[in-house]
Amino acid sequence: MAPLGRIPEATVARLPLYLRGLDAFPVGVTATVSSDELADLAGVNAAKVRKDLSHLGTYGTRGVGYDVTFLRFQISQALGVANVWPVVVCGMGNLGRALANHTGFTDRGFPVVAATDSDPNKIGTIVDGVSVHAPGELGDIVRRLDVAIGVISTPAEAAQGTADALVAAGVTSIMSFAPTVLSAPDEVEIRSVDLATELQILGFHLHRNRIAGDA
Amino acid sequence: MAPLGRIPEATVARLPLYLRGLDAFPVGVTATVSSDELADLAGVNAAKVRKDLSHLGTYGTRGVGYDVTFLRFQISQALGVANVWPVVVCGMGNLGRALANHTGFTDRGFPVVAATDSDPNKIGTIVDGVSVHAPGELGDIVRRLDVAIGVISTPAEAAQGTADALVAAGVTSIMSFAPTVLSAPDEVEIRSVDLATELQILGFHLHRNRIAGDA
DNA sequence: AGCCTCTTGTGAACTGATGCACAAGGTGTC
DNA sequence: GACACCTTGTGCATCAGTTCACAAGAGGCT
Ligand SMILES: NC(=O)c1ccc[n+]([C@@H]2O[C@H](COP(=O)([O-])OP(=O)(O)OC[C@H]3O[C@@H](n4cnc5c(N)ncnc54)[C@H](O)[C@@H]3O)[C@@H](O)[C@H]2O)c1
Ligand SMILES: NC(=O)c1ccc[n+]([C@@H]2O[C@H](COP(=O)([O-])OP(=O)(O)OC[C@H]3O[C@@H](n4cnc5c(N)ncnc54)[C@H](O)[C@@H]3O)[C@@H](O)[C@H]2O)c1
């Protein structure tokens, strides 16, 4: 019954999964989906689906389920997927190139519009359709291309400096792959994707099971 | 005072950060670190550091802090970082290549020992020192090279099949980049790294702020 | 020794998220 | 219209994780 109140963080993190789950239904065709089905498609449980959707003020129909088209619209609305948020990739190394070359981002409203790199051999080149600039031009790029999100894929040593430059240019959303802690003002949202840590968490469980197995 | 009880998931996820924070101290030199300092280095707060470390049964010294060398040893012990867990990368495209080429993983005990790809032009080649095999050979590879962790960087359509093959070969730890839900037996630990979702979460906050700003 | 300062370890309150269970409300059939 | 059948929406209990606040312990200084 919440018309448009605050949406819990945990719910926000699942909305994209629901949206993706709805891709299983053809567009334009009238269909309904139950919380049970959607739960399967998104890999969560049905109670969570219902509670999450209730935060959107979305009304399904009791006895029937949710109208797929309307639900898609509601979630898109909440996430603001109609917007296009231009992305700048800082550090066109192995990872940066993979990101820039990835079509899935552009499709979902996150086009990579420019890149920076400190390597003189890369500056001025165009990689996968993305032009590479000197780090010093970051401020210009952000303003000129209306960049909303900065991706940090530089070595860890350069990450904080890059973050500072992004913040100085007015970017308030950062996704970082550098294995280091970044500091920034509170209003800047930083999502740190730490793959080495992910592997270490897997390693922890392997280690624990091995010990348990031996005992 | 917990000697070696169950460690909460949230704590496990932070242990690698503490370990990384301790890199700020030179090895072999005697030094102590307070929960406050370590909190800064890991980007969390001091209370969390103390509670987390208390789960390891680690004892710091009141009035002084934690002995850096001993703490490093304790956390390493808990995470089992002394072990080496061989990794197979499934899908040597943009992302797979970046991962295979990344030295940071090998350094931390996660060497990429082989890869698979369905592209006949890639099968049989060696990319960045990693030999690429046909998907059908996955079982052999896992057994022969004692693979512990499977990375899925295939297109989403091929992800479930790849996961099934990994599980059939006895792999119980999977890190997936494919934007899809994977099903597997309960004993298999799957960590899904969904970059498009991460961006959408950033997009949600941008969207919300934009609305708030207009109001 | 006595005292002061520092920092840990932890009980306890609090917060946010999860999952259960069921009444409320809708559909379809006879 | 009445009844049988579904599935939502939500109140409530529960759980995990976070944060506070402080007593207890350790070192150092006089
Ligand atoms: N490649 C992976 O699979 C992987 C996995 C986990 C984490 N990471 C992390 O992601 C980051 C990038 O990894 P990578 O493998 O692409 O490294 P890389 O060395 O291939 O690329 C880094 C790029 O950043 C550029 N660079 C350096 N300083 C810069 C600056 N100040 N501004 C802009 N560009 C700058 C370099 O010239 C280089 O091209 C690293 O922090 C790494 O630890 C990478
Ligand atoms: N590149 C990125 O930055 C990025 C970002 C987010 C998510 N992803 C996801 O990661 C995955 C890989 O992305 P990518 O950009 O590397 O794609 P890609 O198309 O460059 O690479 C995919 C590779 O997988 C191989 N492949 C196909 N079927 C296979 C199978 N059954 N077994 C083994 N290999 C198989 C293909 O031959 C290809 O080489 C995709 O699911 C993508 O959605 C990538």
Side-chain angles (χ1 to χ4, degrees), chain A residues 95 98-102 105, chain B residues 90-97 116-119 122 135 152-156 158 162 177-179 193 195-196:
Chain A
L95 195 54
L99 297 169
N101 195 25
H102 186 56
F105 293 155
Chain B
C90 305
M92 276 297 257
N94 290 304
L95 196 55
R97 223 174 0 243
T116 66
D117 202 294
S118 60
D119 183 343
K122 290 180 183 164
I152 299 181
S153 50
T154 66
T162 304
F177 291 89
V193 179
L195 304 181

PDB file of all heavy atoms in Angstrom, chain A residues 95 98-102 105, chain B residues 90-97 116-119 122 135 152-156 158 162 177-179 193 195-196, ligand 2:
ATOM      1  N   LEU A  95      40.781  -5.055 -18.514  1.00  0.00           N
ATOM      2  CA  LEU A  95      39.407  -5.016 -18.048  1.00  0.00           C
ATOM      3  C   LEU A  95      38.637  -3.878 -18.714  1.00  0.00           C
ATOM      4  O   LEU A  95      37.516  -4.073 -19.190  1.00  0.00           O
ATOM      5  CB  LEU A  95      39.409  -4.836 -16.530  1.00  0.00           C
ATOM      6  CG  LEU A  95      38.109  -5.131 -15.814  1.00  0.00           C
ATOM      7  CD1 LEU A  95      37.607  -6.524 -16.152  1.00  0.00           C
ATOM      8  CD2 LEU A  95      38.320  -5.008 -14.311  1.00  0.00           C
ATOM      9  N   ALA A  98      37.496  -4.779 -22.105  1.00  0.00           N
ATOM     10  CA  ALA A  98      36.370  -5.712 -22.084  1.00  0.00           C
ATOM     11  C   ALA A  98      35.065  -4.974 -21.802  1.00  0.00           C
ATOM     12  O   ALA A  98      34.041  -5.233 -22.440  1.00  0.00           O
ATOM     13  CB  ALA A  98      36.601  -6.789 -21.019  1.00  0.00           C
ATOM     14  N   LEU A  99      35.103  -4.035 -20.889  1.00  0.00           N
ATOM     15  CA  LEU A  99      33.906  -3.283 -20.536  1.00  0.00           C
ATOM     16  C   LEU A  99      33.446  -2.411 -21.691  1.00  0.00           C
ATOM     17  O   LEU A  99      32.262  -2.351 -22.018  1.00  0.00           O
ATOM     18  CB  LEU A  99      34.186  -2.413 -19.301  1.00  0.00           C
ATOM     19  CG  LEU A  99      34.519  -3.182 -18.023  1.00  0.00           C
ATOM     20  CD1 LEU A  99      35.042  -2.237 -16.951  1.00  0.00           C
ATOM     21  CD2 LEU A  99      33.300  -3.937 -17.501  1.00  0.00           C
ATOM     22  N   ALA A 100      34.414  -1.731 -22.305  1.00  0.00           N
ATOM     23  CA  ALA A 100      34.080  -0.824 -23.404  1.00  0.00           C
ATOM     24  C   ALA A 100      33.496  -1.591 -24.581  1.00  0.00           C
ATOM     25  O   ALA A 100      32.641  -1.101 -25.309  1.00  0.00           O
ATOM     26  CB  ALA A 100      35.325  -0.054 -23.838  1.00  0.00           C
ATOM     27  N   ASN A 101      33.934  -2.811 -24.746  1.00  0.00           N
ATOM     28  CA  ASN A 101      33.521  -3.626 -25.875  1.00  0.00           C
ATOM     29  C   ASN A 101      32.199  -4.339 -25.630  1.00  0.00           C
ATOM     30  O   ASN A 101      31.641  -4.976 -26.517  1.00  0.00           O
ATOM     31  CB  ASN A 101      34.617  -4.665 -26.166  1.00  0.00           C
ATOM     32  CG  ASN A 101      34.452  -5.309 -27.526  1.00  0.00           C
ATOM     33  OD1 ASN A 101      33.860  -4.705 -28.425  1.00  0.00           O
ATOM     34  ND2 ASN A 101      34.951  -6.507 -27.682  1.00  0.00           N
ATOM     35  N   HIS A 102      31.715  -4.222 -24.419  1.00  0.00           N
ATOM     36  CA  HIS A 102      30.518  -4.973 -24.030  1.00  0.00           C
ATOM     37  C   HIS A 102      29.256  -4.252 -24.495  1.00  0.00           C
ATOM     38  O   HIS A 102      29.004  -3.126 -24.108  1.00  0.00           O
ATOM     39  CB  HIS A 102      30.511  -5.128 -22.516  1.00  0.00           C
ATOM     40  CG  HIS A 102      29.418  -6.008 -22.006  1.00  0.00           C
ATOM     41  ND1 HIS A 102      29.244  -7.299 -22.439  1.00  0.00           N
ATOM     42  CD2 HIS A 102      28.439  -5.793 -21.103  1.00  0.00           C
ATOM     43  CE1 HIS A 102      28.214  -7.830 -21.818  1.00  0.00           C
ATOM     44  NE2 HIS A 102      27.699  -6.934 -21.003  1.00  0.00           N
ATOM     45  N   PHE A 105      25.867  -3.205 -21.922  1.00  0.00           N
ATOM     46  CA  PHE A 105      25.695  -1.981 -21.141  1.00  0.00           C
ATOM     47  C   PHE A 105      24.930  -0.929 -21.938  1.00  0.00           C
ATOM     48  O   PHE A 105      23.989  -0.323 -21.432  1.00  0.00           O
ATOM     49  CB  PHE A 105      27.050  -1.414 -20.713  1.00  0.00           C
ATOM     50  CG  PHE A 105      27.783  -2.285 -19.744  1.00  0.00           C
ATOM     51  CD1 PHE A 105      29.162  -2.235 -19.628  1.00  0.00           C
ATOM     52  CD2 PHE A 105      27.089  -3.173 -18.922  1.00  0.00           C
ATOM     53  CE1 PHE A 105      29.836  -3.042 -18.726  1.00  0.00           C
ATOM     54  CE2 PHE A 105      27.755  -3.987 -18.013  1.00  0.00           C
ATOM     55  CZ  PHE A 105      29.134  -3.918 -17.922  1.00  0.00           C
TER      56      PHE A 105
ATOM     57  N   CYS B  90      35.742 -20.506 -18.204  1.00  0.00           N
ATOM     58  CA  CYS B  90      34.898 -21.036 -19.270  1.00  0.00           C
ATOM     59  C   CYS B  90      34.364 -19.873 -20.110  1.00  0.00           C
ATOM     60  O   CYS B  90      33.529 -19.099 -19.631  1.00  0.00           O
ATOM     61  CB  CYS B  90      33.743 -21.827 -18.673  1.00  0.00           C
ATOM     62  SG  CYS B  90      34.275 -23.129 -17.553  1.00  0.00           S
ATOM     63  N   GLY B  91      34.837 -19.785 -21.326  1.00  0.00           N
ATOM     64  CA  GLY B  91      34.442 -18.681 -22.203  1.00  0.00           C
ATOM     65  C   GLY B  91      35.534 -17.634 -22.313  1.00  0.00           C
ATOM     66  O   GLY B  91      35.583 -16.715 -21.517  1.00  0.00           O
ATOM     67  N   MET B  92      36.419 -17.818 -23.309  1.00  0.00           N
ATOM     68  CA  MET B  92      37.559 -16.901 -23.446  1.00  0.00           C
ATOM     69  C   MET B  92      37.228 -15.754 -24.390  1.00  0.00           C
ATOM     70  O   MET B  92      37.909 -15.555 -25.407  1.00  0.00           O
ATOM     71  CB  MET B  92      38.779 -17.662 -23.946  1.00  0.00           C
ATOM     72  CG  MET B  92      39.549 -18.338 -22.840  1.00  0.00           C
ATOM     73  SD  MET B  92      40.239 -17.183 -21.637  1.00  0.00           S
ATOM     74  CE  MET B  92      41.957 -17.195 -22.174  1.00  0.00           C
ATOM     75  N   GLY B  93      36.205 -14.994 -24.066  1.00  0.00           N
ATOM     76  CA  GLY B  93      35.879 -13.806 -24.851  1.00  0.00           C
ATOM     77  C   GLY B  93      36.565 -12.593 -24.251  1.00  0.00           C
ATOM     78  O   GLY B  93      37.653 -12.702 -23.696  1.00  0.00           O
ATOM     79  N   ASN B  94      35.928 -11.451 -24.372  1.00  0.00           N
ATOM     80  CA  ASN B  94      36.501 -10.214 -23.835  1.00  0.00           C
ATOM     81  C   ASN B  94      36.851 -10.327 -22.372  1.00  0.00           C
ATOM     82  O   ASN B  94      37.964 -10.015 -21.940  1.00  0.00           O
ATOM     83  CB  ASN B  94      35.482  -9.070 -23.971  1.00  0.00           C
ATOM     84  CG  ASN B  94      35.299  -8.673 -25.406  1.00  0.00           C
ATOM     85  OD1 ASN B  94      36.265  -8.333 -26.073  1.00  0.00           O
ATOM     86  ND2 ASN B  94      34.070  -8.735 -25.881  1.00  0.00           N
ATOM     87  N   LEU B  95      35.864 -10.781 -21.620  1.00  0.00           N
ATOM     88  CA  LEU B  95      36.024 -10.822 -20.176  1.00  0.00           C
ATOM     89  C   LEU B  95      36.952 -11.959 -19.755  1.00  0.00           C
ATOM     90  O   LEU B  95      37.852 -11.763 -18.940  1.00  0.00           O
ATOM     91  CB  LEU B  95      34.648 -10.991 -19.529  1.00  0.00           C
ATOM     92  CG  LEU B  95      34.558 -10.696 -18.053  1.00  0.00           C
ATOM     93  CD1 LEU B  95      35.080  -9.304 -17.749  1.00  0.00           C
ATOM     94  CD2 LEU B  95      33.115 -10.831 -17.593  1.00  0.00           C
ATOM     95  N   GLY B  96      36.747 -13.128 -20.326  1.00  0.00           N
ATOM     96  CA  GLY B  96      37.570 -14.281 -19.986  1.00  0.00           C
ATOM     97  C   GLY B  96      39.053 -13.993 -20.210  1.00  0.00           C
ATOM     98  O   GLY B  96      39.902 -14.348 -19.396  1.00  0.00           O
ATOM     99  N   ARG B  97      39.346 -13.325 -21.304  1.00  0.00           N
ATOM    100  CA  ARG B  97      40.734 -13.006 -21.606  1.00  0.00           C
ATOM    101  C   ARG B  97      41.306 -12.062 -20.562  1.00  0.00           C
ATOM    102  O   ARG B  97      42.428 -12.232 -20.096  1.00  0.00           O
ATOM    103  CB  ARG B  97      40.839 -12.386 -22.997  1.00  0.00           C
ATOM    104  CG  ARG B  97      42.000 -12.915 -23.789  1.00  0.00           C
ATOM    105  CD  ARG B  97      42.049 -12.428 -25.235  1.00  0.00           C
ATOM    106  NE  ARG B  97      40.981 -11.540 -25.619  1.00  0.00           N
ATOM    107  CZ  ARG B  97      40.078 -11.824 -26.549  1.00  0.00           C
ATOM    108  NH1 ARG B  97      40.109 -13.002 -27.157  1.00  0.00           N
ATOM    109  NH2 ARG B  97      39.155 -10.948 -26.858  1.00  0.00           N
ATOM    110  N   THR B 116      38.116 -22.904 -21.440  1.00  0.00           N
ATOM    111  CA  THR B 116      37.355 -23.573 -22.505  1.00  0.00           C
ATOM    112  C   THR B 116      36.693 -22.497 -23.358  1.00  0.00           C
ATOM    113  O   THR B 116      36.477 -21.378 -22.908  1.00  0.00           O
ATOM    114  CB  THR B 116      36.240 -24.482 -21.960  1.00  0.00           C
ATOM    115  OG1 THR B 116      35.252 -23.675 -21.313  1.00  0.00           O
ATOM    116  CG2 THR B 116      36.778 -25.501 -20.981  1.00  0.00           C
ATOM    117  N   ASP B 117      36.403 -22.867 -24.584  1.00  0.00           N
ATOM    118  CA  ASP B 117      35.640 -21.980 -25.467  1.00  0.00           C
ATOM    119  C   ASP B 117      35.041 -22.846 -26.564  1.00  0.00           C
ATOM    120  O   ASP B 117      35.610 -23.868 -26.958  1.00  0.00           O
ATOM    121  CB  ASP B 117      36.531 -20.888 -26.065  1.00  0.00           C
ATOM    122  CG  ASP B 117      35.699 -19.687 -26.518  1.00  0.00           C
ATOM    123  OD1 ASP B 117      34.900 -19.840 -27.470  1.00  0.00           O
ATOM    124  OD2 ASP B 117      35.840 -18.608 -25.911  1.00  0.00           O
ATOM    125  N   SER B 118      33.884 -22.427 -27.051  1.00  0.00           N
ATOM    126  CA  SER B 118      33.218 -23.222 -28.082  1.00  0.00           C
ATOM    127  C   SER B 118      33.665 -22.813 -29.489  1.00  0.00           C
ATOM    128  O   SER B 118      33.360 -23.501 -30.458  1.00  0.00           O
ATOM    129  CB  SER B 118      31.701 -23.054 -27.954  1.00  0.00           C
ATOM    130  OG  SER B 118      31.361 -21.688 -28.106  1.00  0.00           O
ATOM    131  N   ASP B 119      34.389 -21.723 -29.596  1.00  0.00           N
ATOM    132  CA  ASP B 119      34.823 -21.222 -30.892  1.00  0.00           C
ATOM    133  C   ASP B 119      35.980 -22.085 -31.437  1.00  0.00           C
ATOM    134  O   ASP B 119      37.053 -22.131 -30.832  1.00  0.00           O
ATOM    135  CB  ASP B 119      35.275 -19.769 -30.736  1.00  0.00           C
ATOM    136  CG  ASP B 119      35.679 -19.139 -32.052  1.00  0.00           C
ATOM    137  OD1 ASP B 119      35.916 -19.880 -33.026  1.00  0.00           O
ATOM    138  OD2 ASP B 119      35.786 -17.899 -32.098  1.00  0.00           O
ATOM    139  N   LYS B 122      39.451 -20.773 -31.533  1.00  0.00           N
ATOM    140  CA  LYS B 122      40.186 -20.559 -30.283  1.00  0.00           C
ATOM    141  C   LYS B 122      40.671 -21.869 -29.674  1.00  0.00           C
ATOM    142  O   LYS B 122      41.707 -21.921 -29.013  1.00  0.00           O
ATOM    143  CB  LYS B 122      39.284 -19.830 -29.282  1.00  0.00           C
ATOM    144  CG  LYS B 122      39.011 -18.385 -29.665  1.00  0.00           C
ATOM    145  CD  LYS B 122      38.108 -17.691 -28.646  1.00  0.00           C
ATOM    146  CE  LYS B 122      37.802 -16.262 -29.115  1.00  0.00           C
ATOM    147  NZ  LYS B 122      36.653 -15.693 -28.398  1.00  0.00           N
ATOM    148  N   PRO B 135      34.667 -27.194 -24.886  1.00  0.00           N
ATOM    149  CA  PRO B 135      33.806 -27.330 -23.700  1.00  0.00           C
ATOM    150  C   PRO B 135      33.647 -28.780 -23.255  1.00  0.00           C
ATOM    151  O   PRO B 135      33.571 -29.066 -22.072  1.00  0.00           O
ATOM    152  CB  PRO B 135      32.476 -26.744 -24.157  1.00  0.00           C
ATOM    153  CG  PRO B 135      32.833 -25.782 -25.230  1.00  0.00           C
ATOM    154  CD  PRO B 135      34.009 -26.379 -25.932  1.00  0.00           C
ATOM    155  N   ILE B 152      32.559 -18.652 -14.976  1.00  0.00           N
ATOM    156  CA  ILE B 152      31.708 -18.678 -16.157  1.00  0.00           C
ATOM    157  C   ILE B 152      31.675 -17.305 -16.805  1.00  0.00           C
ATOM    158  O   ILE B 152      31.134 -16.354 -16.250  1.00  0.00           O
ATOM    159  CB  ILE B 152      30.276 -19.129 -15.793  1.00  0.00           C
ATOM    160  CG1 ILE B 152      30.317 -20.548 -15.219  1.00  0.00           C
ATOM    161  CG2 ILE B 152      29.378 -19.064 -17.020  1.00  0.00           C
ATOM    162  CD1 ILE B 152      28.958 -21.105 -14.854  1.00  0.00           C
ATOM    163  N   SER B 153      32.298 -17.211 -17.970  1.00  0.00           N
ATOM    164  CA  SER B 153      32.277 -15.956 -18.727  1.00  0.00           C
ATOM    165  C   SER B 153      31.860 -16.254 -20.165  1.00  0.00           C
ATOM    166  O   SER B 153      32.389 -15.696 -21.119  1.00  0.00           O
ATOM    167  CB  SER B 153      33.635 -15.257 -18.679  1.00  0.00           C
ATOM    168  OG  SER B 153      34.684 -16.138 -19.002  1.00  0.00           O
ATOM    169  N   THR B 154      30.894 -17.141 -20.274  1.00  0.00           N
ATOM    170  CA  THR B 154      30.276 -17.443 -21.561  1.00  0.00           C
ATOM    171  C   THR B 154      29.063 -16.537 -21.738  1.00  0.00           C
ATOM    172  O   THR B 154      28.650 -15.881 -20.777  1.00  0.00           O
ATOM    173  CB  THR B 154      29.769 -18.896 -21.599  1.00  0.00           C
ATOM    174  OG1 THR B 154      28.704 -19.012 -20.650  1.00  0.00           O
ATOM    175  CG2 THR B 154      30.855 -19.882 -21.253  1.00  0.00           C
ATOM    176  N   PRO B 155      28.485 -16.486 -22.927  1.00  0.00           N
ATOM    177  CA  PRO B 155      27.218 -15.778 -23.068  1.00  0.00           C
ATOM    178  C   PRO B 155      26.173 -16.403 -22.138  1.00  0.00           C
ATOM    179  O   PRO B 155      26.295 -17.578 -21.759  1.00  0.00           O
ATOM    180  CB  PRO B 155      26.840 -16.014 -24.537  1.00  0.00           C
ATOM    181  CG  PRO B 155      28.133 -16.290 -25.225  1.00  0.00           C
ATOM    182  CD  PRO B 155      28.978 -17.006 -24.217  1.00  0.00           C
ATOM    183  N   ALA B 156      25.155 -15.626 -21.777  1.00  0.00           N
ATOM    184  CA  ALA B 156      24.151 -16.086 -20.821  1.00  0.00           C
ATOM    185  C   ALA B 156      23.522 -17.419 -21.235  1.00  0.00           C
ATOM    186  O   ALA B 156      23.282 -18.285 -20.389  1.00  0.00           O
ATOM    187  CB  ALA B 156      23.066 -15.017 -20.656  1.00  0.00           C
ATOM    188  N   ALA B 158      24.729 -19.955 -22.679  1.00  0.00           N
ATOM    189  CA  ALA B 158      25.562 -21.136 -22.451  1.00  0.00           C
ATOM    190  C   ALA B 158      25.893 -21.334 -20.976  1.00  0.00           C
ATOM    191  O   ALA B 158      26.526 -22.324 -20.600  1.00  0.00           O
ATOM    192  CB  ALA B 158      26.846 -21.031 -23.266  1.00  0.00           C
ATOM    193  N   THR B 162      27.148 -24.771 -18.939  1.00  0.00           N
ATOM    194  CA  THR B 162      28.516 -24.760 -18.430  1.00  0.00           C
ATOM    195  C   THR B 162      28.540 -25.077 -16.940  1.00  0.00           C
ATOM    196  O   THR B 162      29.364 -25.864 -16.467  1.00  0.00           O
ATOM    197  CB  THR B 162      29.169 -23.392 -18.687  1.00  0.00           C
ATOM    198  OG1 THR B 162      29.110 -23.099 -20.086  1.00  0.00           O
ATOM    199  CG2 THR B 162      30.614 -23.386 -18.219  1.00  0.00           C
ATOM    200  N   PHE B 177      29.754 -14.537 -14.359  1.00  0.00           N
ATOM    201  CA  PHE B 177      29.541 -13.174 -14.838  1.00  0.00           C
ATOM    202  C   PHE B 177      28.333 -13.098 -15.770  1.00  0.00           C
ATOM    203  O   PHE B 177      27.982 -12.021 -16.228  1.00  0.00           O
ATOM    204  CB  PHE B 177      30.775 -12.675 -15.584  1.00  0.00           C
ATOM    205  CG  PHE B 177      31.958 -12.458 -14.698  1.00  0.00           C
ATOM    206  CD1 PHE B 177      32.843 -13.486 -14.448  1.00  0.00           C
ATOM    207  CD2 PHE B 177      32.164 -11.237 -14.087  1.00  0.00           C
ATOM    208  CE1 PHE B 177      33.935 -13.301 -13.600  1.00  0.00           C
ATOM    209  CE2 PHE B 177      33.243 -11.035 -13.248  1.00  0.00           C
ATOM    210  CZ  PHE B 177      34.139 -12.073 -13.001  1.00  0.00           C
ATOM    211  N   ALA B 178      27.745 -14.227 -16.058  1.00  0.00           N
ATOM    212  CA  ALA B 178      26.628 -14.249 -16.993  1.00  0.00           C
ATOM    213  C   ALA B 178      25.379 -13.686 -16.327  1.00  0.00           C
ATOM    214  O   ALA B 178      25.072 -14.038 -15.193  1.00  0.00           O
ATOM    215  CB  ALA B 178      26.382 -15.668 -17.478  1.00  0.00           C
ATOM    216  N   PRO B 179      24.665 -12.806 -17.008  1.00  0.00           N
ATOM    217  CA  PRO B 179      23.478 -12.193 -16.424  1.00  0.00           C
ATOM    218  C   PRO B 179      22.283 -13.124 -16.482  1.00  0.00           C
ATOM    219  O   PRO B 179      21.339 -12.905 -17.221  1.00  0.00           O
ATOM    220  CB  PRO B 179      23.264 -10.952 -17.299  1.00  0.00           C
ATOM    221  CG  PRO B 179      23.849 -11.319 -18.617  1.00  0.00           C
ATOM    222  CD  PRO B 179      24.960 -12.295 -18.346  1.00  0.00           C
ATOM    223  N   VAL B 193      28.458 -12.355 -10.231  1.00  0.00           N
ATOM    224  CA  VAL B 193      28.916 -10.969 -10.335  1.00  0.00           C
ATOM    225  C   VAL B 193      28.191 -10.343 -11.509  1.00  0.00           C
ATOM    226  O   VAL B 193      28.475 -10.640 -12.663  1.00  0.00           O
ATOM    227  CB  VAL B 193      30.439 -10.908 -10.560  1.00  0.00           C
ATOM    228  CG1 VAL B 193      30.893  -9.460 -10.691  1.00  0.00           C
ATOM    229  CG2 VAL B 193      31.171 -11.615  -9.433  1.00  0.00           C
ATOM    230  N   LEU B 195      27.409  -7.164 -13.387  1.00  0.00           N
ATOM    231  CA  LEU B 195      27.826  -5.775 -13.565  1.00  0.00           C
ATOM    232  C   LEU B 195      26.696  -4.895 -14.077  1.00  0.00           C
ATOM    233  O   LEU B 195      26.579  -3.732 -13.671  1.00  0.00           O
ATOM    234  CB  LEU B 195      29.025  -5.705 -14.516  1.00  0.00           C
ATOM    235  CG  LEU B 195      30.223  -6.558 -14.078  1.00  0.00           C
ATOM    236  CD1 LEU B 195      31.365  -6.397 -15.059  1.00  0.00           C
ATOM    237  CD2 LEU B 195      30.667  -6.183 -12.679  1.00  0.00           C
ATOM    238  N   ALA B 196      25.838  -5.439 -14.922  1.00  0.00           N
ATOM    239  CA  ALA B 196      24.722  -4.644 -15.426  1.00  0.00           C
ATOM    240  C   ALA B 196      23.797  -4.265 -14.268  1.00  0.00           C
ATOM    241  O   ALA B 196      23.298  -3.142 -14.191  1.00  0.00           O
ATOM    242  CB  ALA B 196      23.955  -5.409 -16.504  1.00  0.00           C
TER     243      ALA B 196
HETATM  244  N1  LIG E   2      32.621  -7.922 -21.252  1.00  0.00           N
HETATM  245  C1  LIG E   2      32.071  -7.322 -20.218  1.00  0.00           C
HETATM  246  O1  LIG E   2      32.491  -6.255 -19.832  1.00  0.00           O
HETATM  247  C2  LIG E   2      30.911  -7.918 -19.508  1.00  0.00           C
HETATM  248  C3  LIG E   2      30.253  -7.158 -18.557  1.00  0.00           C
HETATM  249  C4  LIG E   2      29.158  -7.711 -17.872  1.00  0.00           C
HETATM  250  C5  LIG E   2      28.768  -8.999 -18.131  1.00  0.00           C
HETATM  251  N2  LIG E   2      29.397  -9.721 -19.050  1.00  0.00           N
HETATM  252  C6  LIG E   2      28.964 -11.085 -19.293  1.00  0.00           C
HETATM  253  O2  LIG E   2      30.067 -11.960 -19.277  1.00  0.00           O
HETATM  254  C7  LIG E   2      29.913 -12.941 -20.261  1.00  0.00           C
HETATM  255  C8  LIG E   2      31.058 -12.886 -21.229  1.00  0.00           C
HETATM  256  O3  LIG E   2      31.152 -11.608 -21.795  1.00  0.00           O
HETATM  257  P1  LIG E   2      32.154 -11.294 -22.964  1.00  0.00           P
HETATM  258  O4  LIG E   2      32.082  -9.837 -23.203  1.00  0.00           O
HETATM  259  O5  LIG E   2      33.466 -11.898 -22.648  1.00  0.00           O
HETATM  260  O6  LIG E   2      31.465 -12.054 -24.193  1.00  0.00           O
HETATM  261  P2  LIG E   2      32.193 -12.613 -25.499  1.00  0.00           P
HETATM  262  O7  LIG E   2      31.119 -12.869 -26.493  1.00  0.00           O
HETATM  263  O8  LIG E   2      33.316 -11.738 -25.865  1.00  0.00           O
HETATM  264  O9  LIG E   2      32.810 -13.987 -25.035  1.00  0.00           O
HETATM  265  C9  LIG E   2      32.061 -15.150 -24.823  1.00  0.00           C
HETATM  266  C10 LIG E   2      32.934 -16.322 -25.189  1.00  0.00           C
HETATM  267  O10 LIG E   2      32.309 -17.524 -24.767  1.00  0.00           O
HETATM  268  C11 LIG E   2      32.495 -18.499 -25.784  1.00  0.00           C
HETATM  269  N3  LIG E   2      31.489 -19.533 -25.623  1.00  0.00           N
HETATM  270  C12 LIG E   2      30.234 -19.583 -26.122  1.00  0.00           C
HETATM  271  N4  LIG E   2      29.611 -20.708 -25.732  1.00  0.00           N
HETATM  272  C13 LIG E   2      30.491 -21.379 -24.957  1.00  0.00           C
HETATM  273  C14 LIG E   2      30.443 -22.614 -24.259  1.00  0.00           C
HETATM  274  N5  LIG E   2      29.351 -23.370 -24.245  1.00  0.00           N
HETATM  275  N6  LIG E   2      31.536 -23.019 -23.581  1.00  0.00           N
HETATM  276  C15 LIG E   2      32.643 -22.247 -23.557  1.00  0.00           C
HETATM  277  N7  LIG E   2      32.748 -21.066 -24.190  1.00  0.00           N
HETATM  278  C16 LIG E   2      31.676 -20.650 -24.894  1.00  0.00           C
HETATM  279  C17 LIG E   2      32.413 -17.722 -27.068  1.00  0.00           C
HETATM  280  O11 LIG E   2      33.067 -18.429 -28.119  1.00  0.00           O
HETATM  281  C18 LIG E   2      33.148 -16.438 -26.689  1.00  0.00           C
HETATM  282  O12 LIG E   2      34.531 -16.558 -26.948  1.00  0.00           O
HETATM  283  C19 LIG E   2      28.576 -12.674 -20.911  1.00  0.00           C
HETATM  284  O13 LIG E   2      27.599 -13.464 -20.289  1.00  0.00           O
HETATM  285  C20 LIG E   2      28.335 -11.227 -20.621  1.00  0.00           C
HETATM  286  O14 LIG E   2      26.972 -10.925 -20.568  1.00  0.00           O
HETATM  287  C21 LIG E   2      30.487  -9.201 -19.739  1.00  0.00           C
END
